[in-house]
Amino acid sequence: MLQTPNKQKTCLLKYISVCLMMSFFALETWSQNKPILSIELPTDVRTATILHSGKEFLAGTSSLEHGIYRIDAQTGEITRQYKQTSDLCNIAITQDDKLAMSGTMSHSAFVFDLESGETINAFWTYGNGPTEPSFPAKAVCFSPDEKYAVTADYHGKLRRWDLETGKLVQEVVFPHNDPTYVTYLPNGYEVMTTTYYPYIWNLKTNEVRQYPEIESWYPPSLVGNKLLFYLGKTMQLWDTESWALLKEYDSSEYTTKSVALSPVGDNILVGGAIGSTTNKGYDRRIIKTDTGVLARTYQVRSGASLGSPESEDRVVRFFPDGKKFLTVNGNTVHIWDIKDLTSAVHGSEAIKP
C-alpha cells in the first residue's frame, strides 16, 4: 500500500531527527575525547602541580636546561621558567601560591618564590650528616601552617625542616626505599609517605607505623580524610581518621599509574594507558566515589603514540573547581573538560562486594 505524501513527509522528518540525534551524540563523544588545550614542551614532563587559584600550573621537566615551567591554564602560554640545578622528582606549592618546593635527585630540596623565582632555602638530604652520602629528595610537602617543609629521601628518611631558618627540626627512618609521595594528614600532627606500603609518622611521638594491608607503589590521592590508593587489580578508599576501609573498586580492567580524587571527593579520575605488551588502549575514566558507577570515559586508542592525548597518563590532576582535569603524557600536558556528569551514560558498578 502506497503512503500518502503527508505520511512520507512524517517518516522523512523522523528519519532526519534520528540522524541529527545520532550526529549530536557522535559529536559529543568526539568532543569529550578531545582535550580543550594541549601544551607541548621541549622535553619530557616528569610532574605537574596546579596552583590553588586554578589559573596556572607548574610543569616540571626532566631537563636541567628547561627546569620548571609556569603555564596559564586558560591559554597555554608559558608565563615563567624556573631553572633547576638537578633532575626534578616532585613539586609542592603553599596554599597562598607564593612559594614552591622542588625535590631533586641532587640530594636536596629547594624552596623558591613563585613571583621572583628567588631561592629562599635549600634542604640537604644527607644520609647521617654532612659527611655522609646524600640521597635524592624523592617527595616533598609543606605543613598546613606553612611553617615547615617535609622531605622523604630515596633511602628511607623523613625530615622536617623549619621553613624560615632552614634548620632540621626532626627526622625519622622508615624501612622502605624510593618514596613516591609525602603529605601531612588533616590532623596536622601526622605525616604519611608511601613506598611499597604507606607509613605514618607521628610528629608528637616521633614513631612510625606501617599499614601492610595496603600494597601500592603508586602515589595515592588525599582529599580531606578520604585517601585513595591504586593497588593494581583494585582501588581502595580509606578514612585517615579511623583507618577504616570505606570502599573497594574493581580496577582489573585498567592499567594505570595515576589516580585522583575530585576536590570534594565525589569523583575518581583514573588515568589512561597503553598496555605495554598488548598495545591496547585503556580509557581514562571518571567514577562516582559513592556508588562506583562509571560516569564518563575519555577514549585511549590502541597503538597511540606516546605524547598524544590518547597515550599513557603519567600524572592526572583535578583543577580546584572540579570542572577540568590535567594529564601529563610524554612532553605534553593536556587539559580536559569534564562537562556535566549527570547527563553521562552510566556504566556498570565498579565496587567490589
Side-chain angles (χ1 to χ4, degrees):
M1 181 177 176
L2 295 176
Q3 292 181 329
T4 64
N6 284 338
K7 286 185 177 180
Q8 288 179 336
K9 185 177 180 180
T10 301
C11 289
L12 180 60
L13 288 174
K14 286 182 178 180
Y15 175 76
I16 292 173
S17 176
V18 170
C19 288
L20 287 173
M21 188 175 296
M22 291 175 66
S23 299
F24 171 78
F25 283 120
L27 180 61
E28 174 72 10
T29 301
W30 176 83
S31 65
Q32 76 183 36
N33 284 319
K34 188 178 188 303
I36 58 175
L37 190 63
S38 295
I39 305 102
E40 186 175 342
L41 296 173
T43 188
D44 191 49
V45 179
R46 185 160 286 173
T47 188
T49 302
I50 300 169
L51 273 66
H52 295 92
S53 68
K55 296 178 180 179
E56 296 176 289
F57 65 90
L58 301 182
T61 73
S62 58
S63 164
L64 299 186
E65 177 186 356
H66 298 286
I68 300 171
Y69 290 99
R70 183 170 178 171
I71 300 172
D72 188 299
Q74 296 295 322
T75 65
E77 178 187 357
I78 296 173
T79 58
R80 193 175 183 89
Q81 186 178 1
Y82 310 95
K83 294 294 181 69
Q84 296 290 292
T85 59
S86 179
D87 290 347
L88 187 72
C89 297
N90 200 259
I91 306 172
I93 303 174
T94 54
Q95 287 289 328
D96 59 9
D97 291 336
K98 291 183 178 180
L99 299 178
M101 177 166 47
S102 59
T104 73
M105 293 294 289
S106 69
H107 331 300
S108 55
F110 297 95
V111 178
F112 57 95
D113 188 291
L114 280 172
E115 184 62 31
S116 68
E118 178 186 356
T119 298
I120 306 298
N121 241 317
F123 307 125
W124 301 97
T125 53
Y126 294 103
N128 294 305
T131 61
E132 295 295 320
S134 51
F135 307 122
K138 293 297 296 293
V140 295
C141 73
F142 290 104
S143 63
D145 60 9
E146 298 178 357
K147 293 181 179 180
Y148 301 98
V150 171
T151 59
D153 73 39
Y154 180 82
H155 283 288
K157 269 200 175 182
L158 284 165
R159 293 179 172 91
R160 186 163 67 115
W161 310 82
D162 187 296
L163 200 55
E164 185 176 349
T165 66
K167 292 183 178 180
L168 178 63
V169 176
Q170 195 175 358
E171 67 179 355
V172 73
V173 176
F174 58 98
H176 272 92
N177 295 343
D178 203 9
T180 59
Y181 179 82
V182 68
T183 188
Y184 270 77
L185 294 181
N187 59 31
Y189 64 87
E190 290 183 313
V191 171
M192 183 188 73
T193 189
T194 54
T195 56
Y196 191 68
Y197 304 108
Y199 294 91
I200 310 299
W201 179 23
N202 188 312
L203 298 175
K204 294 180 179 179
T205 64
N206 208 40
E207 295 176 341
V208 174
R209 66 182 188 273
Q210 172 188 332
Y211 286 88
E213 62 270 32
I214 307 173
E215 297 182 12
S216 175
W217 279 109
Y218 307 103
S221 180
L222 175 68
V223 171
N225 289 318
K226 291 180 178 178
L227 182 62
L228 179 71
F229 288 95
Y230 172 71
L231 285 75
K233 293 187 177 181
T234 63
M235 291 185 296
Q236 293 182 348
L237 187 69
W238 291 76
D239 181 279
T240 60
E241 283 188 340
S242 62
W243 281 99
L245 177 60
L246 301 177
K247 285 184 175 64
E248 189 170 24
Y249 309 85
D250 181 6
S251 57
S252 58
E253 294 297 318
Y254 317 153
T255 174
T256 185
K257 296 179 180 177
S258 50
V259 294
L261 279 169
S262 64
V264 295
D266 57 340
N267 294 312
I268 295 170
L269 171 61
V270 182
I274 300 294
S276 57
T277 56
T278 63
N279 214 29
K280 175 185 175 182
Y282 294 86
D283 294 345
R284 298 174 186 92
R285 302 173 184 227
I286 294 182
I287 297 168
K288 303 304 292 183
T289 308
D290 55 350
T291 63
V293 167
L294 178 64
R296 192 177 292 281
T297 61
Y298 296 77
Q299 187 180 24
V300 177
R301 290 193 318 232
S302 297
S305 60
L306 190 64
S308 71
E310 297 86 5
S311 68
E312 182 178 46
D313 296 327
R314 174 177 289 174
V315 175
V316 295
R317 301 272 191 267
F318 276 102
F319 277 80
D321 62 5
K323 296 179 180 179
K324 296 184 294 185
F325 67 89
L326 170 154
T327 63
V328 171
N329 320 89
N331 69 331
T332 309
V333 179
H334 305 286
I335 296 175
W336 307 78
D337 190 355
I338 292 178
K339 300 186 182 297
D340 182 11
L341 292 180
T342 59
S343 65
V345 177
H346 298 305
S348 59
E349 192 171 282
I351 293 179
K352 292 187 72 178

